[in-house]
Amino acid sequence: MISGDGAAWKDVFVQVFSRNRVQNSFLVPAVAEPLIVWVMSGSATVEERDLGGEWKASRVNVGDFFLTRSPVPYEMRWQADGDRPFQVMHLYVSVPLFEKVVREMLGKAGGNVTLKDVSGGCDTTISHILNLLHGELVAGSEGSALFVEGLAQSLAVHLVRHYGVADSEARARNALPGPKLRRAIAFMAARLDQPFDLNSLAGAVGMSEFHFSRLFKKATGLSPSLYFIRQRVAKAQQLLQETDTSIIQIGLTVGYSSPSHFAQIFRRETGLSPTDYRRR
């Protein structure tokens, strides 16, 4: 994964991922920022659904994109095909930039504007801007902050102009800001071998325990403690599949000193024992 999060990237946050060819269902958090997911390489069938709803499939190829500003988490899964790796860019437009563009374009009428959801769309302007942003991203220190700022503003204007919709409920305004959510998830991921500590986690993102817990659950559908457990299990799954590390050591790596407790949690979350999961 590569990402842009320096001073030049204050108006957009960009991440590039090389994805697994098959991804089982997972929760996509709700955040305040508009999110674009753009296919850079490969092709896949991507399915999405509201929690407990029906799966809806989209066939995507290079240049196709997803756009969301969902106020609630939803589920996603996919299966890639062909020989090329499945690589995607995630781009978050900052709320201050989005709101500034809305005000300048629509004035007072823009107070209740959000963006419609798009699944597997194709937009040559979005592809062109994201391709230029990717070029600045891989340029590293040679990238131009001024150029990135101009591209971010152009993208925001294009999104409001072509995908803006009235939002009588002013949705997503109470969602957890994306930078805080990413910081919280990274904080947990770096401490899987340690006990869960809500006070330290909330402090890391500059929020009270109560306020953080409420908005985190709203964003992810899970309490911080349960999200942490699932991070531990996901890491254990990766180690079981990709390494020959002993099950006891894997349990210790993800914070379980008791092998029986580790096996109990793992089975509860996956339906399999660690041994059976490794044998699949």
Side-chain angles (χ1 to χ4, degrees):
M1 181 190 75
I2 58 174
S3 63
D5 55 2
W9 300 86
K10 63 183 180 66
D11 289 325
V12 288
F13 179 77
V14 178
Q15 296 171 298
V16 176
F17 298 93
S18 292
R19 295 303 198 182
N20 295 329
R21 302 194 68 78
V22 177
Q23 173 64 57
N24 295 326
S25 174
F26 70 101
L27 280 174
V28 180
V31 293
E33 291 84 355
L35 167 64
I36 298 173
V37 179
W38 181 56
V39 180
M40 300 181 64
S41 172
S43 58
T45 298
V46 179
E47 295 180 283
E48 305 166 283
R49 70 175 179 181
D50 295 331
L51 299 182
E54 297 292 325
W55 288 105
K56 297 180 180 179
S58 301
R59 176 70 184 168
V60 296
N61 297 284
V62 173
D64 292 339
F65 76 99
F66 295 80
L67 172 66
T68 185
R69 201 187 182 198
S70 174
V72 294
Y74 62 95
E75 290 182 273
M76 176 177 280
R77 66 187 183 189
W78 64 75
Q79 181 164 341
D81 51 46
D83 298 328
R84 301 192 65 186
F86 188 44
Q87 191 174 55
V88 298
M89 173 190 287
H90 287 202
L91 183 144
Y92 297 85
V93 179
S94 75
V95 171
L97 174 60
F98 179 76
E99 293 181 343
K100 175 186 176 183
V101 168
V102 168
R103 285 194 306 271
E104 292 183 356
M105 293 179 65
L106 304 174
K108 293 181 179 180
N112 293 329
V113 168
T114 188
L115 298 173
K116 65 181 179 182
D117 291 335
V118 177
S119 297
C122 184
D123 186 313
T124 55
T125 299
I126 288 177
S127 290
H128 180 63
I129 294 174
L130 267 57
N131 192 49
L132 291 172
L133 284 168
H134 181 254
E136 293 300 295
L137 180 64
V138 297
S141 60
E142 298 178 5
S144 166
L146 188 61
F147 189 46
V148 171
E149 180 181 355
L151 290 172
Q153 292 176 354
S154 298
L155 177 62
V157 169
H158 182 78
L159 291 176
V160 172
R161 181 176 291 163
H162 293 278
Y163 302 99
V165 291
D167 182 12
S168 59
E169 298 180 0
R171 68 180 192 171
R173 290 189 179 180
N174 292 321
L176 186 65
K180 289 184 181 290
L181 178 62
R182 291 188 290 272
R183 197 179 311 145
I185 291 174
F187 185 91
M188 287 190 279
R191 294 163 176 80
L192 296 180
D193 61 336
Q194 301 174 27
F196 177 73
D197 184 344
L198 179 59
N199 181 60
S200 296
L201 178 57
V205 297
M207 300 173 68
S208 70
E209 291 184 26
F210 173 78
H211 193 49
F212 169 74
S213 295
R214 181 176 66 85
L215 290 186
F216 187 91
K217 187 170 184 178
K218 183 176 181 180
T220 65
L222 303 172
S223 67
S225 58
L226 182 54
Y227 193 96
F228 182 68
I229 288 171
R230 293 194 175 173
Q231 272 195 318
R232 282 178 160 182
V233 171
K235 181 64 175 180
Q237 289 176 297
Q238 178 191 358
L239 294 173
L240 287 166
Q241 289 180 329
E242 299 178 4
T243 75
D244 295 325
T245 305
S246 71
I247 292 174
I248 291 176
Q249 183 57 50
I250 290 174
L252 291 171
T253 299
V254 296
Y256 296 102
S257 57
S258 166
S260 61
H261 188 209
F262 170 54
Q264 177 188 5
I265 297 296
F266 192 92
R267 182 184 290 276
R268 186 189 73 191
E269 294 296 325
T270 68
L272 297 170
S273 70
T275 300
D276 289 340
Y277 186 86
R278 172 167 270 174
R279 287 173 178 165
R280 291 197 314 167

